[in-house]
Amino acid sequence: MAALWSRTREKQKASDEVLIRSLYEEHGRALLAYAQRLTGDHAAAEDVVQETLIRAWKHPDALVNGKGSVRGWLLTVARNIITDRYRAKAARPTEVAEFAAATPVERDHADAVVDSMLVMEALDRLSPDHRSVLEEIYFQGRSVAEAAKALGIPPGTVKSRSHYALTALRDLYGDRPTTPAKFVALKEVAV
């Protein structure tokens, strides 16, 4: 009796495998393309195709009942799986950490202080016209046109003065081994 049951089970496994293989060979690409278009993610689409084929294996009678095409049934199942996943994700409350995050450790700000002092010293060495243009453009964040309006000079003069001011800063501090970050940024803009 056990041998008969074992053979019946092996035949069932073989027919199930043939069913799934044939479904995948015939409809796998279309299912994957459809699922990928709906999810926007290739890996998620592969998971949907796999789940669709599992449902087809669990409900083989739905494939042969004559109520429509097999591909239509598979695409509907895939769409329903994607919809269920989307709804489950949307219904899940956002997770909150059990403990408040540790306060971040503040890095040593000594370098920033030294850099600020160097920038202030460098600006003091510039002419008032050059210094005012750099202050407007880099520290106030104004465009050339806005700086020109604020200073009451033509935009071309703002460009010219900023160019010569940055050149002077480069000449003053370009050869130092520890160039402040602000001067590095100013150099990149000037180049």
Side-chain angles (χ1 to χ4, degrees), residues 169-180:
L169 288 176
R170 194 176 313 116
D171 291 343
L172 285 171
Y173 294 97
D175 57 345
R176 286 195 178 185
T178 55
T179 303

Side-chain angles (χ1 to χ4, degrees), residues 88-185:
K89 188 184 283 187
R92 184 177 180 170
T94 56
E95 294 180 10
V96 179
E98 194 171 318
F99 300 105
T103 56
V105 177
E106 192 169 318
R107 301 179 85 199
D108 185 15
H109 64 282
D111 287 339
V113 171
V114 171
D115 287 349
S116 326
M117 291 172 62
L118 285 173
V119 168
M120 296 308 293
E121 176 188 330
L123 288 175
D124 286 341
R125 290 185 176 195
L126 295 176
S127 71
D129 290 338
H130 289 157
R131 182 175 46 251
S132 63
V133 166
L134 290 184
E135 286 172 351
E136 290 296 322
I137 292 175
Y138 294 103
F139 298 114
Q140 299 298 322
R142 295 192 170 128
S143 68
V144 170
E146 292 168 339
K149 186 175 181 181
L151 295 171
I153 57 176
T157 305
V158 171
K159 288 180 184 180
S160 173
R161 286 182 184 172
S162 66
H163 169 76
Y164 288 112
L166 292 173
T167 301
L169 288 176
R170 194 176 313 116
D171 291 343
L172 285 171
Y173 294 97
D175 57 345
R176 286 195 178 185
T178 55
T179 303
K182 291 200 187 264
F183 289 134
V184 171

Side-chain angles (χ1 to χ4, degrees), residues 2 10 13 26 31 41 51 63 67 71 75 94 100 107 109 120-122 126 128 153 155 162 165-166 181 187 190-191:
E10 285 177 17
K13 274 183 167 179
E26 190 173 340
L31 269 173
D41 180 12
E51 180 66 26
L63 301 173
K67 290 185 179 179
R71 182 171 287 187
L75 293 174
T94 56
R107 301 179 85 199
H109 64 282
M120 296 308 293
E121 176 188 330
L126 295 176
I153 57 176
S162 66
L166 292 173
K187 279 187 191 180
V191 172

Side-chain angles (χ1 to χ4, degrees), residues 33-48:
Y34 181 68
Q36 189 166 355
R37 189 172 60 238
L38 292 178
T39 61
D41 180 12
H42 186 74
E46 287 178 341
D47 289 345
V48 168

